[in-house]
Amino acid sequence: MELDLARQLSVTGQSKILLLVMDGLGGLPHPKTGRTELETAQTPNLDALAAESACGFTMPVALGVTPGSGPGHLALFGYDPLKYNIGRGALEAAGVDFDLQPQDVAARGNFCTVDGKGRVTDRRAGRITSERCGELCAELRQIALEGVEVFVEPVREHRFVLVLRGEGLSDAVGDTDPQQVGVEPPAPQPTALEGEGTAQLVALFVEEARRILADQGPANMLLLRGFARRPDWPSMWEVFKLRAAAVAHYPMYRGLAKLVGMEALPAGPGIEDSIATVKENWDRFDYFFVHYKYTDTAGEDRDFERKVAKLEEVDAAIPSLAALKADVLMVTGDHSTPAVQGVHSWHPVPFLMRAPWTRADACDAFNEVALEKGSLGTFPAVESLPLAMAHAGRLTKYGA
Amino acid sequence: MELDLARQLSVTGQSKILLLVMDGLGGLPHPKTGRTELETAQTPNLDALAAESACGFTMPVALGVTPGSGPGHLALFGYDPLKYNIGRGALEAAGVDFDLQPQDVAARGNFCTVDGKGRVTDRRAGRITSERCGELCAELRQIALEGVEVFVEPVREHRFVLVLRGEGLSDAVGDTDPQQVGVEPPAPQPTALEGEGTAQLVALFVEEARRILADQGPANMLLLRGFARRPDWPSMWEVFKLRAAAVAHYPMYRGLAKLVGMEALPAGPGIEDSIATVKENWDRFDYFFVHYKYTDTAGEDRDFERKVAKLEEVDAAIPSLAALKADVLMVTGDHSTPAVQGVHSWHPVPFLMRAPWTRADACDAFNEVALEKGSLGTFPAVESLPLAMAHAGRLTKYGA
């Protein structure tokens, strides 16, 4: 649904919508058993929920397209990820609660290791501790650039955000991250004419940083990518008339949610922590996005068994989630991360929606085979919120 | 997928994609047996392939829309047929290897038979031989038009291409083919102001041709349709980074493929001829489009039994096709041509894709009933190439 139509049809109400995102949810069959992670896991609670839900698969972006975390989530929030695209720098800045201003330019940084000839040997500097990252960021804040303010904010482990603030800055600056080892980081190049001045400032920053970090091994250099401004998007309140909250342990998902106007509620790492946070804030919001990260992490680590275990961990929490009695409860993922592939993939993502007014559905288990019998088929993820709003009594009739 | 996105996400690789198009593949139940052509045919090899493939149906243009050969194929090549449309004249010119220039205007011609009053009695002049067609084209090359060069190229049987080359020509000229018998061919009319001069030249050409052909019965007149320029489209290499080859016996399909930058490899009429051509050229290309015509011809002739026989002929060749070990093998059609209808139809087209990373699928036979159980459902044909590229490891992630 186009946002203009959503704006026109949405109405306020008393109903509650709860979206549980298991990051990287969908999977593929294990070569030995022929069963996917979800088919392998014992998930009696999710299966029971599926039996009383409308079921199917979401397509995050398009057939064959593997989404990053940004597009995967934006689609679930009702924003077409092909229209609402965000640069990595802005996403990371939002994720550490940095109050990015309209004229700011942000980039995602990695502390990395280079050899004596300046060639990258480890793009993540051995994943230094978050504490060490904070110390190094403090060092880099010494760097002064004429005419602009410089912010260097630690994220987690080797990751940080660089923000430049001043007049006339541009985000038309190319990455200094070569995305491979064995080569020197390229100098920042303007990607359009207006990026020339900013690229020069970034080059000065990188040179100063190289000098400061030289003796700090393993983190003796840095890489920058995804120069971007803060996107200026309408909020979920403006478009969908939802007071929306994000409950996420990882900063990036809170940051993403804030870009569409959600209030970010921090939570502990476990699914029960998130459910407790939802419960505490139940009356203040109409919509809750709950993010669970570890299914994706296990998939990316190619750890089939751990992904199965994480699915079972979420399954065990389903009764307390269901006990909140949201009018519409959706369980899905932002994309698939099959453990046999070890990366995000393009495969459609398992989806269920328990809500009033759903039709009967032959699907009675929450896995990639059973969901083929679902009534929703494979549909664009961006349509899931409008569908939920309809079931929540929050969309009026279109046309006379 | 928009071509701009494909351009952004596609990467080169070592993997091979093979597309077998059985022209006019899809069918409808025979009134006596209730079984379609594919259900009637014995196709053990296609069935076995379906059992290990992701299955479904493609929609060439849109629900209810019957595609011509151009749109049906362009969709399979990844080009949205509603954006990338081609005039018949340009298509026929490309199909005979005529090197159409940007300023040229081409039209498809038929030699036809008219009666004493000039009324069309046979739009195809009894399908004269290709040899006779060549002789008549040579006669027509005598015609001189002031300020333009005239090319008359035989195609096959009664079909030829007329190309006008010169300054200021326009393709805004209406057909002289009435598409029915019993009436006189209409004079060429400009369809826009800028077509006036060209329409006058075409009218002169038609009058000269009438004089030259008068005594040549049964081919004593000609009909022109589909005035068009050469389209200027990005190639499959530019967009998808695929070195693409077309293996087709009929010139029109090679011509179509060349418009998207494929190299056209001629092949004998049989499916085994095409497979041999693919094999000989295996190392030079990433993508092979193999065209098989006779399923469509049988359907258009309303010959249910012959269409069944042609399907069985292709089935017998499937083992040698599979033996090429393409990473991704797709079998589908450009549109349906149900023998009971005898024309192209709008029905979704059977589709299978054998590839790495497909999910389980309850479909275990290649026919219109079994394919309903496929995991792909009915999806736009234009999405089939991006999907194949994902499975071939040739699409990178979208967004951070």
Side-chain angles (χ1 to χ4, degrees):
Chain A
M1 183 182 287
E2 298 284 330
L3 297 192
D4 277 350
L5 183 60
R7 218 185 284 257
Q8 180 190 327
L9 300 184
S10 61
V11 291
T12 56
Q14 297 302 312
S15 54
K16 305 272 188 197
I17 297 172
L18 199 160
L19 166 69
L20 169 61
V21 174
M22 283 188 256
D23 207 302
L25 175 62
L28 281 174
H30 192 287
K32 284 206 184 132
T33 65
R35 292 199 303 273
T36 67
E37 298 90 319
L38 272 173
E39 281 182 283
T40 306
Q42 299 294 319
T43 55
N45 297 305
L46 283 165
D47 294 344
L49 199 55
E52 54 185 59
S53 293
C55 296
F57 294 90
T58 56
M59 188 149 62
V61 179
L63 217 58
V65 175
T66 298
S69 302
H73 279 89
L74 285 168
L76 293 172
F77 303 158
Y79 294 71
D80 179 351
L82 290 171
K83 288 188 189 158
Y84 296 87
N85 202 357
I86 181 181
R88 187 75 192 207
L91 182 59
E92 294 282 346
V96 292
D97 255 333
F98 186 92
D99 192 17
L100 210 59
Q101 299 298 303
Q103 80 275 23
D104 293 354
V105 170
R108 151 76 183 265
N110 271 19
F111 289 108
C112 71
T113 311
V114 294
D115 65 15
K117 292 181 173 164
R119 293 173 305 206
V120 179
T121 56
D122 182 344
R123 287 184 53 249
R124 299 179 182 90
R127 292 189 186 272
I128 52 169
T129 64
S130 302
E131 192 192 347
R132 184 79 189 114
C133 180
E135 291 164 9
L136 293 174
C137 287
E139 295 281 334
L140 294 179
R141 288 194 199 108
Q142 306 165 30
I143 299 173
L145 298 176
E146 205 180 314
V148 297
E149 267 186 284
V150 178
F151 301 86
V152 188
E153 303 296 324
V155 178
R156 195 175 267 259
E157 298 174 341
H158 56 284
R159 296 186 285 263
F160 68 91
V161 183
L162 169 70
V163 178
L164 303 183
R165 177 169 296 167
E167 294 298 314
L169 291 171
S170 162
D171 59 2
V173 178
D175 297 351
T176 77
D177 184 343
Q179 298 276 358
Q180 53 178 312
V181 295
V183 297
E184 282 184 65
Q189 298 293 335
T191 58
L193 199 59
E194 69 266 25
E196 227 166 318
T198 310
Q200 282 170 15
L201 286 169
V202 173
L204 287 173
F205 175 83
V206 170
E207 279 322 298
E208 283 295 294
R210 186 198 301 274
R211 196 183 49 76
I212 292 169
L213 297 172
D215 303 323
Q216 304 283 2
N220 62 357
M221 185 49 179
L222 52 74
L223 304 173
L224 300 170
R225 62 187 163 106
F227 286 87
R229 292 184 181 287
R230 185 186 81 182
D232 181 25
W233 296 339
S235 71
M236 286 181 78
W237 169 254
E238 288 172 70
V239 178
F240 299 108
K241 301 187 184 71
L242 291 170
R243 296 173 302 162
V247 181
H249 180 60
Y250 276 68
M252 197 182 73
Y253 306 95
R254 293 200 299 274
L256 198 50
K258 284 192 285 187
L259 291 173
V260 294
M262 287 195 222
E263 186 172 325
L265 308 174
I271 178 75
E272 290 287 4
D273 301 319
S274 296
I275 295 171
T277 302
V278 173
K279 205 166 177 177
E280 282 158 29
N281 293 276
W282 189 249
D283 292 335
R284 291 174 54 218
F285 298 97
D286 307 305
Y287 170 98
F288 292 89
F289 150 56
V290 174
H291 183 258
Y292 180 82
K293 177 68 181 170
Y294 304 106
T295 31
D296 181 59
T297 319
E300 295 214 321
D301 290 345
R302 298 180 186 270
D303 192 336
F304 196 97
E305 290 313 316
R306 196 170 94 229
K307 191 168 172 197
V308 168
K310 293 300 173 186
L311 291 167
E312 292 179 347
E313 189 177 304
V314 174
D315 186 75
I318 290 296
S320 31
L321 194 75
L324 295 168
K325 295 196 187 305
D327 297 273
V328 177
L329 171 60
M330 290 180 281
V331 179
T332 187
D334 54 339
H335 55 78
S336 294
T337 303
V340 294
Q341 283 187 283
V343 287
H344 290 202
S345 82
W346 60 90
H347 299 89
V349 187
F351 177 90
L352 69 74
M353 184 184 70
R354 192 191 60 179
W357 317 122
T358 55
R359 280 193 175 142
D361 185 309
C363 173
D364 56 2
F366 195 62
N367 64 63
E368 292 83 354
V369 173
L371 289 162
E372 290 285 347
K373 291 179 285 182
S375 58
L376 295 173
T378 297
F379 68 101
V382 70
E383 302 297 342
S384 62
L385 180 62
L387 184 65
M389 290 189 59
H391 284 271
R394 287 174 169 270
L395 281 187
T396 55
K397 192 163 64 175
Y398 171 70
Chain B
M1 183 181 288
E2 298 284 330
L3 297 194
D4 276 350
L5 183 61
R7 218 185 285 258
Q8 180 190 326
L9 300 184
S10 60
V11 291
T12 55
Q14 298 301 314
S15 53
K16 306 272 187 193
I17 299 173
L18 201 161
L19 166 70
L20 169 62
V21 174
M22 285 188 255
D23 206 302
L25 175 63
L28 283 173
H30 192 285
K32 285 204 182 131
T33 65
R35 292 200 303 274
T36 68
E37 298 91 319
L38 272 172
E39 281 182 284
T40 307
Q42 298 294 319
T43 55
N45 297 305
L46 283 165
D47 294 346
L49 199 54
E52 53 187 59
S53 294
C55 297
F57 295 89
T58 56
M59 188 150 62
V61 180
L63 217 59
V65 175
T66 298
S69 301
H73 279 89
L74 284 168
L76 293 173
F77 303 157
Y79 293 72
D80 179 351
L82 292 170
K83 288 189 188 157
Y84 296 86
N85 202 359
I86 181 180
R88 185 74 192 209
L91 182 59
E92 294 282 347
V96 293
D97 254 332
F98 186 91
D99 191 17
L100 211 58
Q101 298 298 303
Q103 79 275 23
D104 294 353
V105 170
R108 150 76 182 263
N110 271 19
F111 289 108
C112 70
T113 311
V114 294
D115 65 14
K117 292 180 174 166
R119 292 174 305 206
V120 178
T121 57
D122 182 344
R123 286 182 54 249
R124 298 178 183 91
R127 291 187 186 271
I128 53 169
T129 64
S130 301
E131 192 193 349
R132 184 80 189 113
C133 181
E135 292 164 7
L136 294 174
C137 287
E139 294 282 333
L140 294 180
R141 287 194 199 110
Q142 305 165 29
I143 299 172
L145 298 176
E146 206 180 312
V148 297
E149 267 186 283
V150 178
F151 301 86
V152 188
E153 303 298 324
V155 177
R156 195 176 268 258
E157 298 174 341
H158 57 284
R159 296 186 285 263
F160 68 92
V161 183
L162 169 68
V163 178
L164 303 183
R165 177 171 297 168
E167 293 299 313
L169 291 171
S170 163
D171 60 1
V173 177
D175 297 349
T176 77
D177 184 343
Q179 296 276 0
Q180 54 177 309
V181 296
V183 298
E184 283 184 64
Q189 299 291 336
T191 57
L193 198 59
E194 69 268 22
E196 227 168 316
T198 310
Q200 282 169 15
L201 286 169
V202 173
L204 287 172
F205 175 84
V206 169
E207 280 322 300
E208 282 295 293
R210 186 198 303 274
R211 193 182 52 74
I212 291 169
L213 298 172
D215 303 324
Q216 304 282 5
N220 62 357
M221 184 49 180
L222 53 74
L223 305 173
L224 299 170
R225 64 190 161 103
F227 286 87
R229 290 183 184 287
R230 186 187 81 183
D232 182 23
W233 296 338
S235 72
M236 286 181 77
W237 170 254
E238 289 172 69
V239 178
F240 299 107
K241 300 187 185 72
L242 292 170
R243 298 171 302 162
V247 181
H249 180 59
Y250 276 68
M252 195 181 75
Y253 305 95
R254 292 200 300 272
L256 197 49
K258 283 192 285 187
L259 292 172
V260 294
M262 286 194 224
E263 186 172 325
L265 307 174
I271 177 75
E272 289 286 5
D273 301 319
S274 296
I275 294 171
T277 302
V278 173
K279 205 167 177 176
E280 282 158 29
N281 293 276
W282 189 249
D283 292 335
R284 290 175 54 217
F285 299 96
D286 307 305
Y287 170 97
F288 292 89
F289 150 55
V290 174
H291 183 260
Y292 180 82
K293 177 67 181 170
Y294 305 106
T295 32
D296 181 59
T297 319
E300 295 213 318
D301 290 345
R302 298 178 186 274
D303 192 335
F304 195 98
E305 289 313 316
R306 198 170 91 230
K307 191 168 172 195
V308 168
K310 293 300 174 186
L311 291 168
E312 292 180 347
E313 191 176 303
V314 174
D315 187 75
I318 290 296
S320 30
L321 194 75
L324 294 168
K325 298 198 186 302
D327 297 272
V328 177
L329 171 61
M330 292 181 279
V331 180
T332 187
D334 54 337
H335 55 77
S336 295
T337 304
V340 296
Q341 285 186 284
V343 286
H344 290 202
S345 81
W346 59 90
H347 300 89
V349 187
F351 177 90
L352 70 75
M353 185 184 70
R354 192 190 61 178
W357 315 120
T358 56
R359 280 186 178 148
D361 186 308
C363 172
D364 56 3
F366 194 63
N367 64 64
E368 293 82 353
V369 173
L371 289 161
E372 292 286 348
K373 290 180 284 182
S375 58
L376 296 172
T378 296
F379 68 101
V382 72
E383 302 296 342
S384 61
L385 180 62
L387 184 65
M389 289 189 58
H391 284 270
R394 286 174 169 269
L395 282 186
T396 54
K397 192 163 66 172
Y398 171 70

